[in-house]
Amino acid sequence: MQRNLWTHDELVLALALYFQLPFGRLNRNTPEVRELGRLLGRGENSAALRLVNFAACDPYILATGRHGMASGAKTCMPVWEEYANNKERLFKEAAEIRARLQQQSIEQSLGITTTDLEGNTREAVVRQRINQNVFRTMILNNYNEQCAITGINDSRLLVASHIIPWAERKDTRLNPENGICLSSLYDRAFDQGLITIRPDDYTVMVSPSLRDTLTQATYAEHFGKIANRKIILPEEHQPNGTFLQYHAENIYIR
């Protein structure tokens, strides 16, 4: 019996997930892929196949000499063209579709507990939560859920750090090349400009100001040992050199 054709909403959910996974995890064994298959009632194989169809539409993947499953790309291409250059809209609509399928409000689906939000305030809170959740998932998946400096691999201790801060540029907020997975200590240090990462060789620079505020032992244990260490690079979308240069020039404390 032939399965029903994928609807536009189902393709939107698949594309949203596609952008949150590295190429090597577009398969049935990935928990997020299995969850998508269950949500749509289509199974993990069908969900995985649709993701690799989207890979066949992706210029980034094609430019690396890789390819997805071209046989289904014709079905996916219109949705790719509709959303690939407007990911914020894509992720918002995907979150709304997911909430409907789960028979929840968008706030319930996102874990927003405040109930007195209205109008523009509600829209801003919902949109920000969606974007932050997506960015975290994207970056942690891309770095295989490990800190780029220490290798710590407990997701409860990890943060998706923005290189160019969230508030400073809207167009980089959901760019995977603007994110680095760091443990909480180094995320805070990076955010405060106490460490940065050189754009030419991806090694860590530690601000000299830390020597003035930390004891010698503390400095040596937490910062001296990471100075000039090359970070663990992600599976896809290495940190953008222009973004790192901005951080070094505008946020890092020399």
Side-chain angles (χ1 to χ4, degrees):
M1 179 177 178
Q2 185 177 5
R3 293 297 304 267
N4 293 331
L5 297 177
W6 280 59
T7 67
H8 182 271
D9 283 358
E10 290 175 328
L11 291 169
V12 166
L13 284 173
L15 182 58
L17 178 58
Y18 172 80
F19 282 123
Q20 295 175 68
L21 294 174
F23 183 79
R25 296 187 63 192
L26 304 180
N27 60 71
R28 58 177 293 180
N29 296 319
T30 300
E32 294 93 336
V33 177
R34 295 200 300 267
E35 191 275 334
L36 177 64
R38 288 193 298 269
L39 180 67
L40 300 181
R42 288 187 173 274
E44 57 203 29
N45 288 330
S46 180
L49 180 60
R50 195 53 76 191
L51 294 177
V52 294
N53 290 155
F54 275 117
C57 303
D58 190 346
Y60 169 82
I61 294 298
L62 298 178
T64 66
R66 295 171 292 178
H67 56 85
M69 184 72 71
S71 60
K74 184 177 179 180
T75 298
C76 295
M77 185 60 76
V79 177
W80 177 275
E81 293 176 341
E82 183 179 357
Y83 292 99
N85 294 320
N86 193 344
K87 293 188 179 69
E88 187 166 345
R89 176 187 163 211
L90 167 68
F91 293 130
K92 182 174 185 295
E93 292 186 10
E96 292 169 344
I97 293 166
R98 179 175 290 274
R100 288 199 301 271
L101 291 175
Q102 294 171 332
Q103 297 183 322
Q104 295 178 324
S105 69
I106 186 67
E107 291 86 356
Q108 289 173 323
S109 180
L110 295 171
I112 298 173
T113 57
T114 304
T115 58
D116 57 354
L117 299 175
E118 296 182 0
N120 292 337
T121 299
R122 173 188 177 276
E123 177 72 14
V125 169
V126 167
R127 189 179 296 274
Q128 182 171 340
R129 179 64 63 85
I130 291 169
N131 290 342
Q132 289 174 340
N133 287 352
V134 164
F135 190 76
R136 174 178 169 80
T137 300
M138 181 189 302
I139 299 304
L140 265 64
N141 279 331
N142 200 33
Y143 282 79
N144 199 28
E145 294 197 354
Q146 61 178 345
C147 171
I149 293 177
T150 65
I152 288 174
N153 61 350
D154 188 324
S155 62
R156 295 171 297 181
L157 302 174
L158 300 176
V159 180
S161 300
H162 281 83
I163 301 171
I164 296 179
W166 176 274
E168 294 192 18
R169 272 181 59 178
K170 184 177 180 180
D171 64 314
T172 59
R173 288 178 179 174
L174 294 173
N175 186 337
E177 294 183 1
N178 191 43
I180 303 175
C181 183
L182 297 173
S183 60
S184 298
L185 171 62
Y186 295 115
D187 165 70
R188 182 66 174 169
F190 188 75
D191 183 64
Q192 295 296 309
L194 299 173
I195 61 173
T196 194
I197 297 168
R198 296 182 181 92
D200 55 341
D201 62 3
Y202 298 112
T203 57
V204 178
M205 286 197 299
V206 177
S207 172
S209 68
L210 282 173
R211 288 187 180 274
D212 300 330
T213 56
L214 298 176
T215 66
Q216 184 176 357
T218 299
Y219 177 87
E221 173 64 22
H222 297 290
F223 293 97
K225 69 180 183 181
I226 69 167
N228 300 311
R229 176 187 294 181
K230 185 172 182 176
I231 67 169
I232 302 167
L233 292 173
E235 296 182 42
E236 305 281 354
H237 304 292
Q238 295 182 358
N240 183 286
T242 300
F243 300 163
L244 290 175
Q245 190 67 38
Y246 177 92
H247 187 275
E249 293 177 355
N250 297 279
I251 300 173
Y252 179 62
I253 301 171
R254 297 184 179 277

